Amino acid sequence: MPGVTMSSGGKRKRKQKGTPGATALPPEVNEDDLYVSDEDLQFVKKHAQYAGFMANLDTATINKAFEGPKKEKKPVKKVERTEEDIESRYEERAERNAAKSDENVEAMAVDEDVDALPVKSLTGELRYLSAPKKPSDAKALLEERKANLQKANGTFVEPPSEGHEGVSTVEAQPGDTKEKKVKLTKQERKKLKRQERKTEIEEKKKSEESAAAGGVDQDANTEKEEVSYISVQQRRMELKTHMAELGMGLLANPEANLGTLKELQEMCEDRDDSVARLALLSSMAVFKDILPGYRIRLPTEKELQMVVSKEVRKLRDFETALLKYYQKYVQTLIRAAKSPARRLASLKCMGALLDAAPHFNYRDSMLKAMVPRMMSFDDEISNLACDAVKSLFKNEAKHGGEATVEAVQLIAELVKSRRYRVRPAVVEVFLDLSFDENLEKTSTTEKNAEKANVKKSKRVEKKEKKEKKRELAKQLRKEVKDDFKEASSAPDVILRKKLQTQTLAAMFETYFGVLKSSLEPPDEKVLAAVSREIDEGYDTLGLRPLLGPSLDGLGKYSYLINVDFMADLLSTLGVAAAGGKNAETRTPEDMLTVGERLQCCMVAFKIVRSNLDALTIDLREFYVQLYNLLFEFNSVRHDIKYSKVFAEALEVMLWNNRQNDMQRAAGFLKRLSTLALHLAPAEAMAALVTVRYLLQRYKKCRNLLENDGGGGAVGGNLAKYTPDGDDPDVSGALSSVLWDVTLLRRHAHPGVVKIASEIASMSAMTETTMLLSLTPSNAIDLYSTRGGGFRPAIQAPAKVVKRKAFKSAGPMSVSSFDDLAMPGGRINLEEADISSIPESETAEIGKHLAKEFRTLKNFKENSTLRKELRRVTARLELHKAYLASKPKVSKVSKVSKVDKVSNVDKALKPTPIISKKRKPRK
Amino acid sequence: MRPLDEAEMTQVLEKLHKFVGSNLKHVLERPSHEGPDGKGGYVFRLHKQRCYYVSDALVRRATNVGREKLFGLGTCLGKFTKSGKFRLTVTCLDLIAAHAKHKIWLKPSAEMSFLYGNHVLKSGLGRITDNTAQYQGVVIFSMSDVPLGFGVAAKSTQDCRKLDPNDIVALHQADLGEYLRMEDEL
């Protein structure tokens, strides 16, 4: 019965055909089964009666079930749905059968049945998940587990799951691909796999296209969209797991699995944004780990020709491939950064890569993409970019400073091209730069050493020849030693110094540019041109967005500014502090704000201070500016940062500088105290603390506290105070009086009152009593009420506590001896003892003690009286002796007689008596 | 005693301007509190080839003294030389010190040398006002802000940075030591 045999064989065949697709039977089924052996034929013939049922099989339905998709070359959607139902139903049945026959598959088949629940689509239609989907997932899991096991063993074979997955994805798609697949199953297994991967990709593209098309005209392809919706969700899930697998494989063994990067990269360019984002991020994670710690240099032609060992070749190949993939990836990233949907992910990737591997190739192209994003008006993007650049600056060790130079130069160019009108964050990143001062120092010491050498050699010439020779030899030896030393370590230092100089040059160029551009009133034409390029958000920048951060930077890096630039810089700052060029003709809005001008003054001082070794300069101009700015300063409408600038200016210019002359100090004293009258409490405190400090340091200025106008000698030639003067030096403040302080003593704020009264009482005070370590910044921090509440907190009214009369102390206070000087502490001590003794006894003890003390008092009185008596008698004795030595004068004796008559009281004042006696004689 | 003519006036003011700059206005408009009404200002008067800076009230009173008998009045700013040039003397120091724009402070070690009539060297330079130009008139102070004399800046502030310790920073014109050294000339 050839027909029967054929049918049985055909059934098997069909089953096998169906299995990889429909039920996903394990691929282990041999191809050999396809051909029917003689033994088989015999077997069938023997048991012909048992095989008879096969003849009755409904081949039509089976065929339809299996080959249905084949017939639909151009699938109509509605048919497809029923098709699917039939398919799934059939599959269930087939699986049940398979479960009976094949135990291995059984468990899986059951799983499938359980998992393959119908899904409700968005439109509310019940839809059976194509059953093979799940098994493929389950299998993927299984494969993953397997792969993990293999990984644990150390060798990783490319997962065969791909084939399955490919099949499954193909299976998920209805229509023409299925047909293809069916054709392909006839071919060899390996070929199939390869092909299927291709079809998979095609499939993806198709689905993407459909998704895209669906997005464009929904009305036309609503149904199609539904299909694509489901498939997109699934696809995402699948690709996610796939990515994870690839990533794991790559991390486990990058050399072997480098090829899989290609797949990842394809996914990076996926039409589906979310897939692409995921792929970008996962490739970033992979690259972060597998990039080597050095920069890859591709071998030159010559090197390629040279014979190398196997290992070297292997490494070379790996590096070349890696570099190629990385290049492609970076290109993808840069491209992705342009599309709005993927921008964030790609920037994240670039940031992470710049952070993790700044030394590696293609850093510059990433930087070029990154830096312009710093001035984006989207906070998130700009933060990402800024953080990436900051991390470059902070981790200079990773790339040896080259990336820093590139980044700084790029930023400088960018800022310049935007005419210094970009987000402040762009320039603020410079504050994270770190410069090695020692590099500069080493160079200077070297120069010094050279100078010394020159001097030495000059001296040597004068000496005799022998000595000269000896010295030269010695010098030569030393030089050789030095050269050796330099050769071993110098190149690095020289290179680093060069890089640092470049960085500094670019940075300061930006700063100076900002400063200069802020001097002039904004040119409307230029602004319009720039603002056309940039979009919304531009107006929020303000007039001089970069001035603040630039001044901060200048202050911070002031010690690195070349002395040659200082003059120019100081004069520019001077103009800026005065409010910009042609300040008189400009409107107040155009002019630099008070805060900015204060900052300018401060920076000037910082610059001068950090270059103190060059020369001590008295920055009179800036004092004058500060003096005038104090009047314009008004803290009420500004935030705390503004007040902090004020405080810092006071600290930098008046506290830390020891170089004020007295007139100037007096000018500031007077103006600050006047200012304190109308400032908010916190700022008033800052001003008053400064006043106190100045008074402490310039003792002569305490004349201001005396109630004596005109200043006296200290006032000098300036006899009259001009409160509205421009120059503190000639304000004549020394001839005024700090009457403001008296008013401040009635201030509402307790802190102000306290310090004002302290200042007022200062003239009589000693230095130590007023040493309160409060600085202007401290004062702002402590007393600012911007955070709400009162500072210091208002004290609750004190409760009136009735004092209980201390009964046991009663007899003590009544007793007569309490008026005797007795230290209070002692009484308390005794009270404790006494209270334990009964009252009658205490009274008696009291009497006794009183007696005792009275006698003691008497004794004391007695002794003092005796002493006086002794002294008086001694004087009298002396007087008598004197009288005896001058016997003749009768007058004197008369007087002396009178004296003798006068009693001891008069003798108490012996000196006037003697003088009286002497006077009449003369 | 007579008011200065125009040529003399410009000479005097030019000299003063070198030291006090725009503060010259303050010098000229300085109010005086002398005299019965306590109002009035200061004027320049020439007497015996010397220029004096005197308050109005004092000028009026001085008219009572004969020209021969009058030795001097007010503050002597300087004198006109035989060739007609004007020179500031040390007696004007207090006036220009109070209004000086550019100052140099001397280290204590260099004070004595300056008071003996020497120039100010870089080594003795304690501090200098920023933006001092070359040949700008400067008033010289001790570190405790006592005016010691005046002179002319030999170098600008910028150039001062690079000078050797022995180079001259300011040229001597007058110092307090002259009160002893040239007592009879003053």
Side-chain angles (χ1 to χ4, degrees), chain A residues 563-564 566-567 570 614-621 659-662 717-720 727 729-730, chain B residues 23 26 30 33 94-95 98-99 101 103 105 122 125-131 145 157-158 160-162:
Chain A
V563 179
D564 298 335
M566 264 179 68
L570 284 180
L615 196 65
T616 34
I617 295 177
D618 176 48
L619 293 170
R620 182 173 173 281
E621 206 180 315
Q659 312 168 342
N660 294 314
D661 47 42
M662 204 176 52
N717 275 318
L718 306 159
K720 196 178 164 196
D727 194 338
D729 291 358
V730 291
Chain B
N23 284 341
H26 296 291
R30 186 172 157 210
H33 301 290
D94 277 346
L95 183 73
H99 296 94
K101 280 255 167 175
K103 302 176 181 177
W105 286 263
K122 169 78 189 293
L125 184 66
R127 193 167 10 133
I128 181 167
T129 309
D130 188 34
N131 283 339
D145 274 326
T157 308
Q158 284 313 307
C160 281
R161 291 173 204 284
K162 294 166 196 161

Side-chain angles (χ1 to χ4, degrees), chain A residues 92-138:
Chain A
E92 275 173 29
R93 210 194 315 163
E95 276 153 18
R96 249 170 259 141
N97 292 340
K100 278 171 196 165
S101 60
D102 196 337
E103 284 182 8
N104 285 342
V105 188
E106 190 181 33
M108 216 181 288
V110 171
D111 275 352
E112 284 155 26
D113 280 13
V114 175
D115 285 342
L117 287 172
V119 171
K120 207 172 189 183
S121 74
L122 273 185
T123 45
E125 286 167 312
L126 268 186
R127 185 180 291 257
Y128 287 97
L129 248 183
S130 49
K133 273 320 311 167
K134 290 290 169 182
S136 81
D137 279 355

Side-chain angles (χ1 to χ4, degrees), chain A residues 626-686:
Chain A
L626 176 68
Y627 188 73
N628 293 326
L629 281 172
L630 285 180
F631 259 162
E632 290 174 44
F633 177 79
N634 186 359
S635 61
V636 177
R637 270 179 297 164
H638 297 272
D639 57 349
I640 187 132
K641 202 186 162 201
Y642 187 68
S643 304
K644 289 225 165 178
V645 168
F646 170 70
E648 205 185 336
L650 288 186
E651 268 178 9
V652 168
M653 299 179 74
L654 297 177
W655 283 63
N656 301 342
N657 222 329
R658 289 185 194 161
Q659 312 168 342
N660 294 314
D661 47 42
M662 204 176 52
Q663 287 281 0
R664 187 183 291 166
F668 275 108
L669 267 175
K670 181 70 186 157
R671 184 152 285 191
L672 278 175
S673 57
T674 314
L675 193 70
L677 285 174
H678 71 263
L679 283 180
E683 286 78 17
M685 278 300 285

Side-chain angles (χ1 to χ4, degrees), chain A residues 178-223:
Chain A
K178 192 151 199 173
E179 178 193 47
K180 256 186 212 166
K181 203 231 77 205
V182 172
K183 273 180 199 165
L184 287 167
T185 44
K186 284 171 187 172
Q187 296 173 1
E188 267 190 354
R189 198 74 188 162
K190 283 184 182 176
K191 264 191 182 175
L192 178 98
K193 271 190 194 173
R194 224 174 288 151
Q195 288 285 345
E196 273 166 355
R197 217 184 280 165
K198 271 185 197 168
T199 52
E200 177 197 21
I201 291 155
E202 276 169 38
E203 199 51 42
K204 269 183 222 161
K205 279 179 186 165
K206 254 169 218 169
S207 71
E208 287 152 18
E209 274 159 23
S210 70
V216 174
D217 45 358
Q218 289 184 338
D219 298 334
N221 310 331
T222 36
E223 287 187 26

Side-chain angles (χ1 to χ4, degrees), chain A residues 534-573:
Chain A
I534 323 170
D535 34 349
E536 67 320 323
Y538 180 75
D539 295 331
T540 61
L541 282 180
L543 278 176
R544 288 165 295 274
L546 293 185
L547 188 60
S550 298
L551 288 174
D552 286 343
L554 277 175
K556 187 176 176 192
Y557 300 119
S558 55
Y559 61 95
L560 291 164
I561 298 173
N562 196 329
V563 179
D564 298 335
F565 290 135
M566 264 179 68
D568 278 344
L569 190 58
L570 284 180
S571 63
T572 317
L573 280 173

